[in-house]
Every structure is written in structure tokens, then in C-alpha cells.
């Protein structure tokens, strides 16, 4: 853990207009002018707020990431956004493969291509993996995670490996208030690290836990040996709750 800097990332999903996003920034920066020593913090606003939030936070040490990216650099892809566009908007990273995107049609092949496109464009990537309740109850979680991690990292250029973080997010824990137990989170994150070690330096890889993280459970989860921070949805919308989760990473 000593060589891995924890990351707490807030995924705002389809929440916050530009004024609301800027209001969050004001309140959050007032409460926490910069990340606590030894912790990285990111926010992932929806696309319209990406540039305004990046502008607002550019003199801080917070980083700003998109929630999705397309694999092509440009072209006839109505509604999509490319990695260079995200970078030009002032963001330095992106989520890839969030389960809500996968449920909307993002394939394993696209996840791999998007990890590659984003990292090649100098963006940091938080690649999300995680099993459904059905998969967990069938005792197939490890195999599922092995497949997602293996396919997701398949096209990654070795020189880019330090740009990648993986978030383990069990689908049954996302937005449900049902959080993985510490044993479940530790076991799955350790497995993700083990499988990812075929592609990257596993000892240096950051693996986050995501799924109903709150100020009450964040400290225990982020203290687990293979959990290097959190990807936070609902609780990241509130500056006070998000700041308390960040503090729990110290
Ligand atoms: C997420 O959106 O990645 C997430 C983990 O959501 P929540 O914290 O609301 O469960």
C-alpha cells in the first residue's frame, strides 16, 4: 500500500447542471481547499459541466474526469465524445466501462478500445468492473472479474500502464445502499489485482471499491489491504459527504 496513493473519485452520473456543478465546487473547495496529503481526488461531471468544472478547479490539485469516452478520435458518432475532446476540455481522465454504460450497450471490446484510446491520448482511466447479484450467487464472481479485467486491459500499451486505475464495483451495490462486506471487497479487489498483474505492475496498480460508499463505511473499506480508494456515486453529489469520504482515505 505504501507505494499506492489512494484515489477518491466522485461520479456525478447524470446530475448537476453547470451552475449546480460550480456551486458544488465552491462549497467543496471552501471545505477542503486541496486534497489531504497523500490522497488524490477526482470528480467526474456530466459532459456539459466538464469544461466549467475543469476551469474552476484548474488551480487546485483536484483532477477532473469524464464519465465515458468513445474509441474513435473523431467521426460520424452522434452523441459521442472523443478522448482528445475530453483533454481539450481540461479534463485529465475518464471513467471507462461503468456498469451503467455496459448495461446501455458498451461491450467488452469497446471497453478495451476505449481504455486504449483514452490512455493513448494521455488521459488517466478508471476502468470499472463488477459482477451482478446473479453472478455472485452462482459463485462465478472470480471468473467474471477475470474476464472483464483481461478483456479490458488487452489493448493497453505497456508504456501507459500507470495511467490506469481499476474500480471494482459490484452491480448489486451500486446505488442500492447495500455495500459489499469488507471480506467481499477485499477478496474481489485482490482478485482484480492478481488478474491485472498479467498486464500491469500489480503492486503499483490502484484498485478502488465502488458501491454505496458513504462517510460511514468509507474508512473501513479503504483501509483494506487491496482497496486503494473509492469510486463514489450518490454520496459524491454532496460536498460535505464527499469531503468526509475523502478524509476517510487519509
Ligand atoms: C457509481 O456510480 O459508480 C457508484 C458506486 O454509485 P453509488 O456510490 O451511488 O453506489
Amino acid at each position: 500500500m505504501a507505494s499506492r496513493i489512494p484515489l477518491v473519485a466522485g461520479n456525478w452520473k447524470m446530475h448537476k447542471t453547470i451552475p449546480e456543478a460550480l456551486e458544488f465546487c465552491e462549497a467543496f473547495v471552501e471545505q477542503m481547499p486541496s486534497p489531504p496529503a497523500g490522497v488524490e481526488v477526482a470528480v467526474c461531471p456530466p459532459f456539459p459541466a466538464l469544461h466549467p468544472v475543469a476551469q474552476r478547479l484548474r488551480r487546485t490539485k483536484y483532477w477532473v474526469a469524464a464519465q465515458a469516452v468513445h474509441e474513435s478520435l473523431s467521426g460520424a458518432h452522434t452523441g459521442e465524445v472523443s478522448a482528445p475532446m475530453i483533454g481539450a476540455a481540461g479534463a485529465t481522465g475518464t471513467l471507462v466501462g461503468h456498469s451503467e454504460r455496459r448495461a446501455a450497450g458498451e461491450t467488452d471490446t469497446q471497453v478495451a478500445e476505449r481504455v486504449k484510446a483514452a490512455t493513448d491520448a494521455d488521459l488517466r482511466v478508471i476502468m470499472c468492473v463488477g459482477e451482478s447479484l446473479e453472478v455472485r450467487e452462482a459463485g462465478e464472481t472470480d471468473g467474471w472479474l477475470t474476464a472483464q479485467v483481461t478483456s479490458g486491459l488487452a489493448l493497453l500499451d505497456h508504456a501507459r500502464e500507470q495511467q490506469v486505475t481499476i474500480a471494482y464495483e459490484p452491480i448489486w451495490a451500486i446505488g442500492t445502499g447495500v455495500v459489499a462486506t469488507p471480506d467481499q471487497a477485499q477478496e474481489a479487489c485482490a482478485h482484480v489485482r492478481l488478474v491485472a498483474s498479467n498486464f500491469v505492475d500489480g503492486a503499483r496498480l490502484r484498485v478502488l471499491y465502488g458501491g454505496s460508499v458513504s462517510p460511514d463505511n468509507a474508512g473501513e473499506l479503504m483501509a483494506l489491504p487491496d482497496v486503494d480508494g473509492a469510486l463514489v456515486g450518490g454520496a459524491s453529489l454532496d460536498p460535505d459527504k464527499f469531503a468526509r469520504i475523502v478524509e476517510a482515505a487519509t
Side-chain angles (χ1 to χ4, degrees), residues 9 11-13 95 98-100 128 167 169-170 173-178 209-214 231-236:
N11 172 19
W12 293 353
K13 311 193 189 199
L95 303 180
H98 191 283
S99 62
E100 288 156 13
C128 306
E169 298 208 301
I174 296 180
T176 58
V178 179
Y209 167 80
S212 295
V213 172
S214 71
L231 180 55
V232 187
S236 73

Side-chain angles (χ1 to χ4, degrees), residues 125-163:
V125 164
I126 302 174
M127 183 181 88
C128 306
V129 298
E131 82 289 357
S132 64
L133 191 56
E134 207 182 5
V135 167
R136 176 160 285 272
E137 286 179 346
E140 290 165 2
T141 298
D142 281 1
W144 184 269
L145 295 176
T146 298
Q148 283 193 326
V149 171
T150 301
S151 63
L153 296 180
L155 302 177
L156 177 69
D157 185 332
H158 278 304
R160 301 286 186 179
E161 66 175 65
Q162 283 174 42
Q163 290 164 238

Side-chain angles (χ1 to χ4, degrees), residues 168-213:
Y168 165 65
E169 298 208 301
I171 296 168
W172 46 270
I174 296 180
T176 58
V178 179
V179 68
T181 65
D183 281 353
Q184 289 170 328
Q186 166 56 27
E187 200 183 310
C189 289
H191 183 73
V192 163
R193 186 182 309 288
L194 185 72
V195 176
S197 300
N198 293 318
F199 301 88
V200 302
D201 180 351
R204 294 180 70 179
L205 174 73
R206 242 181 334 211
V207 181
L208 313 182
Y209 167 80
S212 295
V213 172

